[in-house]
Amino acid sequence: MTNASKAAPIVLGTLSLLTVLGLWEWSAAAGLAVSTVLPPPSQFMAVVAESGFRIGMGSQASPISQSLVSTFLRVFTGMGIAFAAAILTGALLSLSRVATWCISPLLYLLAPIAPIAWIPTAIVVFGISNTAAIFIVFMGVYFVLTIATLSEIRRIPPEFHTVAANLGASPFERFYRVTLPAILPGVFVLLRSNFTAAWMAVLVAEMVGLRDGLGAIIMMGRNLFNNDLILFGMVIIGVSGFVVDRVLNFISNRIVWWRV
């Protein structure tokens, strides 16, 4: 692939983004009615900058970095626990056909449930807390990843385990040296694809009562009828989600790049 081919997506993507931003700013300069509902970036960024990029009122105002850290902590903790639990569950079920037959229907029944649907249950069980947000992320990712883990395990050629056993590998060594490397890339790719669902779930969880986080910024803007704050929150959410997706894509391509 030539350098021009590599640069083309970046250049065209940047140009399209700049075009949208230019039209957005022009609509405000022209006094179009839409600018009252969707204030341009130059306006809402200036308003937030005047407060030192602190969100809230008076002594309760907190820096935007605190909201970012809170949201990232919740979503990555939930996804990390779900990732580890899914691989462990898939590995354990692969050792027993009976267990797979008994538990698989439950997995396929719960997997389609959107993570947002777990919010009432999480609030009743854990209250409005970080634990509730982490639980929502976990429930939105765990079942899909477990199903993916089982599918990846079934894809492993039986000869791999046969050769490992003939070389004297124990069941644990076969899992650690054969099964885990074989399933990790596929499960991680699905984890990345489910990041959007987990991201939206934790944002909604923050909107229903948590006092910090990116979702809470949107709710604060709504309660104060502050479109500048709402738009700022939306931009931060979009940029943060994009950056995390790029990081996960890098890990997928460079760190767990192999496939069976």
Side-chain angles (χ1 to χ4, degrees), residues 12-260:
L12 293 177
T14 302
L15 288 176
S16 65
L17 179 60
L18 291 176
T19 300
V20 172
L21 291 176
L23 292 173
W24 195 354
E25 292 288 348
W26 171 83
S27 68
L32 299 182
V34 68
S35 62
T36 60
V37 180
L38 300 174
S42 60
Q43 176 178 325
F44 65 74
M45 290 298 294
V47 170
V48 177
E50 290 178 358
S51 65
F53 291 96
R54 298 179 66 85
I55 307 300
M57 302 180 64
S59 61
Q60 295 182 346
S62 59
I64 184 62
S65 58
Q66 180 177 329
S67 296
L68 282 168
V69 171
S70 298
T71 297
F72 283 150
L73 179 63
R74 291 161 186 152
V75 70
F76 284 130
T77 300
M79 291 179 66
I81 296 174
F83 185 71
I87 291 179
L88 181 60
T89 303
L92 293 176
L93 292 181
S94 67
L95 300 176
S96 172
R97 291 185 178 181
V98 176
T100 302
W101 295 337
C102 294
I103 298 178
S104 289
L106 183 62
L107 294 175
Y108 284 98
L109 178 66
L110 295 177
I113 299 177
I116 295 175
W118 291 101
I119 290 179
T121 301
I123 293 177
V124 170
V125 176
F126 302 106
I128 300 177
S129 62
N130 285 329
T131 304
I134 293 171
F135 171 80
I136 293 166
V137 174
F138 174 86
M139 297 301 286
V141 177
Y142 169 72
F143 299 104
V144 176
L145 290 184
T146 301
I147 294 173
T149 300
L150 291 172
S151 299
E152 290 293 323
I153 290 175
R154 296 190 189 104
R155 290 182 60 253
I156 302 175
E159 295 81 7
F160 284 21
H161 293 288
T162 302
V163 171
N166 290 339
L167 293 175
S170 65
F172 175 78
E173 289 176 327
R174 291 200 295 271
F175 170 76
Y176 178 72
R177 297 183 181 275
V178 177
T179 303
L180 186 60
I183 67 176
L184 196 57
V187 176
F188 191 87
V189 168
L190 190 61
L191 176 69
R192 179 198 166 197
S193 65
N194 276 269
F195 164 74
T196 301
W199 185 246
M200 290 189 295
V202 76
L203 293 175
V204 173
E206 291 172 346
M207 290 181 186
V208 297
L210 291 176
R211 296 183 178 180
D212 58 357
L214 299 180
I217 294 177
I218 303 296
M219 288 305 297
M220 186 178 301
R222 190 203 71 169
N223 293 335
L224 297 175
F225 299 98
N226 188 333
N227 287 337
D228 294 317
L229 187 57
I230 293 175
L231 265 295
F232 174 75
M234 292 173 64
V235 169
I236 294 298
I237 289 170
V239 172
S240 301
F242 175 79
V243 171
V244 173
D245 180 73
R246 292 297 89 194
V247 171
L248 293 177
N249 181 61
F250 174 83
I251 295 174
S252 177
N253 293 334
R254 302 295 179 87
I255 299 178
V256 289
W257 51 265
W258 66 91
R259 292 283 290 183
V260 174

